[in-house]
Amino acid sequence: MPAVSPALPGTFDVVVIGAGVIGCAIARRFALEGARVAVIEKADDILDGASKANSAILHTGFDAPVGSLEQVCVAAGYAEYEEIHAKLNLPLIRCGALVIAWTEAEAALLPELIAQAEANGVADVEPLTEAETRRLEPGLGAGLQAAFRVPREYLVDPWSAPLAYLAQAIANGAELLRGAEVTGGQLDGDWTLQTTRGPVTGRIVVNAAGLYGDVLDERLLGKKDFAIRPRKGQFIVYDKPAASLASHILLPVPNKVTKGIVVCRTAFGNLLVGPTAEEQDDRETAALVPETLEALRRRGEEILPGLKAEEVTALYAGLRPATETKDYRITAHSAQRMITVGGIRSTGLSSALGTARHVLRLAEAMGHATQPPVDPVWPEVPAISAFARRDWQQPGNGGIVCHCESVTRREILAALDGPLKAQTLAGLKRRTRVTMGRCQGFYCSAELARLTEGRLAQPMLGHD
Ligand SMILES: Cc1cc2nc3c(=O)[nH]c(=O)nc-3n(C[C@H](O)[C@H](O)[C@H](O)COP(=O)(O)OP(=O)(O)OC[C@H]3O[C@@H](n4cnc5c(N)ncnc54)[C@H](O)[C@@H]3O)c2cc1C
């Protein structure tokens, strides 16, 4: 039989499977340590799984189980994001959060939660009376009992962050293979992974397959020690004027299953209400359910009655890679030279950089050792947050294409170019915000179809 030519030539020190936020951060960490890294993603573009839809809160980990791996990774990820975000041109909206008790029973839980925060190293939480809470957030609805403030819970851009991590990995030598599903593999000294685009060889394999983490373990190890049961979260995004209704992230008292319904601004200047927590078997589709969204809307209006007068921009839903336990399922399979990074359920955006450091330590315990580059490259991602100076404010941008989100022709063309170029319309939206505003692409889709012609895996339709 003729040898199948490899999808990527040579032997990599580390092959990361999955380009969600966790895989992107792991690729960055290993590349910054000097490893030769490959990232394999089955979708036509990155961030196509759990990482495509979340609340975009940079959590401190104040409510994580004390002593859990999740808490350790969130704390480390949070610290590193704070340290590096400006260098990568990533936003950080330092708004703080209020954890609000709406019933007497919830109010009785606040001291315990404050003690938990302190045990998790989040020592700056402030208990608030009802009056103090209302002074901070005058728009809150009836029934409020008491609250506490977590000053360092922040908002970030959920897509630019992983994009920046992978861009930095690539700028420091990593290679990305998209549209390539890992279907199996053999360990014979090194790993040879079978992908739908040909084999890839590596010394250590990292399973960062998110919603398919258990499936991939079965394919590569012939066994799995956890089962993913996707947990859907639906959201309502309100128009930008609604963002003036709340300055903090408004959190409920969390329960054992979920952090509950949050009301917060977004890095793009909107206000969102969500997510729900609904278990399902389907790993692909996060369907929007009108009755659930109606209940979500009513809950949002109870929290912030001013929302009754606000318009909705969009609805969306995401899937958390939940397992039968709350904590992360990160395992080093030393004999198989494989690390599974599974069950990164509801804090992966916050923990990604910390999780990546944890995975590096596990690989080092397996004998992985490389020499970090003397002068690593720090690429900047385009500023697309509402809190940054945007391209439309700079000369030579080619004019605005998407007027709702002020996206310029230059921003779109730049996102369609380079080693991490958008290959799907969804990927282009996540890189630029194009079509994500009030009109949802009604006015700019024809122009966008012209600009993207011949460049996307699935062409946009109907620009004539
Ligand atoms: C509703 C909701 C709200 C959330 N809110 C927050 C929040 O506010 N703050 C926070 O920190 N976190 C939040 N999260 C959690 C966060 O989004 C997740 O923890 C994170 O996205 C998990 O990322 P991942 O990389 O592990 O998985 P994924 O994003 O699913 O990435 C896995 C990738 O692997 C690819 N893949 C799978 N199988 C294969 C294969 N065989 N071959 C090649 N590629 C493969 C997939 O296509 C996918 O791109 C929220 C999540 C949800 C759903």
Side-chain angles (χ1 to χ4, degrees):
M1 239 182 28
V4 187
S5 49
L8 295 172
T11 300
F12 292 88
D13 296 315
V14 181
V15 181
V16 181
I17 303 169
V21 64
I22 296 295
C24 293
I26 292 170
R28 169 182 177 271
R29 176 46 44 213
F30 278 100
L32 287 178
E33 299 297 325
R36 188 159 180 244
V37 180
V39 180
I40 306 177
E41 168 55 52
K42 72 174 177 177
D44 286 324
D45 207 346
I46 68 168
L47 308 180
D48 196 57
S51 305
K52 72 176 155 201
N54 59 48
S55 321
I57 299 172
L58 186 72
H59 295 294
T60 54
F62 77 90
D63 59 344
V66 178
S68 61
L69 180 57
E70 179 182 22
Q71 189 277 323
V72 170
C73 292
V74 168
Y78 181 103
E80 188 167 344
Y81 187 90
E82 234 191 345
E83 184 192 324
I84 67 167
H85 75 277
K87 240 173 145 179
L88 293 171
N89 204 27
L90 292 169
L92 184 59
I93 295 103
R94 297 176 194 266
C95 52
L98 300 181
V99 178
I100 302 174
W102 294 97
T103 63
E104 281 182 18
E106 286 178 355
L109 295 173
L110 294 185
E112 199 182 307
L113 275 167
I114 291 172
Q116 186 176 354
E118 283 165 359
N120 279 330
V122 184
D124 53 355
V125 297
E126 304 156 23
L128 300 168
T129 63
E130 186 207 339
E132 287 166 337
T133 311
R134 288 199 187 281
R135 261 199 296 283
L136 289 175
E137 291 292 351
L140 287 170
L144 153 64
Q145 305 283 315
F148 65 87
R149 183 163 181 266
V150 192
R152 291 181 299 109
E153 289 275 300
Y154 297 150
L155 293 167
V156 295
D157 170 350
W159 304 304
S160 295
L163 188 74
Y165 305 158
L166 191 52
Q168 190 172 27
I170 290 172
N172 288 282
E175 291 183 53
L176 170 65
L177 185 67
R178 285 177 278 189
E181 177 172 353
V182 174
T183 51
Q186 291 82 42
L187 177 65
D188 184 9
D190 294 330
W191 272 99
T192 301
L193 298 172
Q194 271 84 52
T195 86
T196 47
R197 291 186 56 192
V200 176
T201 307
R203 298 198 171 91
I204 292 181
V205 167
V206 178
N207 169 359
L211 292 157
Y212 290 84
D214 53 348
V215 173
L216 190 64
D217 264 12
E218 285 251 30
R219 283 183 189 173
L220 297 183
L221 300 170
K223 64 179 172 96
K224 59 176 185 185
D225 59 12
F226 62 91
I228 296 285
R229 178 121 166 88
R231 192 173 295 151
K232 181 169 71 175
Q234 302 185 56
F235 292 91
I236 302 175
V237 183
Y238 284 85
D239 271 1
K240 297 184 183 190
S244 63
L245 293 174
S247 55
H248 289 81
I249 301 162
L250 307 177
L251 301 168
V253 171
N255 64 34
K256 292 221 167 352
V257 178
T258 166
K259 289 179 180 297
I261 306 297
V262 180
V263 178
C264 64
R265 292 178 292 158
T266 73
F268 312 111
N270 298 82
L271 187 103
L272 64 79
V273 179
T276 55
E278 306 158 70
E279 294 204 350
Q280 61 175 50
D281 292 326
D282 189 337
R283 298 174 192 242
E284 286 294 321
T285 313
L288 294 166
V289 182
E291 301 76 48
T292 315
L293 289 163
E294 181 53 27
L296 198 54
R297 189 183 62 75
R298 280 198 304 272
R299 183 65 199 130
E301 291 174 3
E302 283 166 8
I303 296 169
L304 280 182
L307 278 179
K308 288 185 189 133
E310 299 297 337
E311 299 283 337
V312 170
T313 303
L315 308 167
Y316 70 97
L319 297 176
R320 305 170 184 88
T323 68
E324 50 286 82
T325 58
K326 193 168 161 52
D327 207 355
Y328 293 177
R329 308 301 293 263
I330 304 181
T331 307
H333 308 280
S334 303
Q336 290 92 350
R337 307 188 59 73
M338 179 166 150
I339 301 169
T340 299
V341 191
I344 315 294
R345 191 177 35 89
S346 55
T347 48
L349 178 62
S350 311
S351 77
L353 297 168
T355 301
R357 284 189 181 272
H358 179 71
V359 171
L360 173 69
R361 285 192 291 276
L362 296 178
E364 285 170 346
M366 286 181 189
H368 170 84
T370 46
Q371 196 62 39
V374 181
D375 199 7
V377 183
W378 285 83
E380 285 192 1
V381 286
I384 60 166
S385 120
F387 299 82
R389 189 170 148 76
R390 295 278 311 275
D391 194 50
W392 66 268
Q393 296 163 302
Q394 334 256 358
N397 57 43
I400 292 178
V401 174
C402 167
H403 286 266
C404 300
E405 293 295 305
S406 307
V407 184
T408 68
R409 185 167 281 100
R410 178 168 62 191
E411 284 178 304
I412 293 166
L413 293 176
L416 291 166
D417 202 13
L420 243 180
K421 63 179 175 235
Q423 295 192 158
T424 63
L425 178 58
L428 185 61
K429 291 179 181 192
R430 292 195 275 268
R431 284 169 181 77
T432 62
R433 299 283 303 156
V434 72
T435 78
M436 292 183 93
R438 185 69 178 94
C439 88
Q440 294 285 291
F442 185 84
Y443 289 107
C444 63
S445 286
E447 174 65 354
L448 199 56
R450 267 190 288 276
L451 289 173
T452 57
E453 193 158 10
R455 295 171 183 244
L456 300 179
Q458 298 283 326
M460 288 180 70
L461 298 173
H463 62 85
D464 292 326

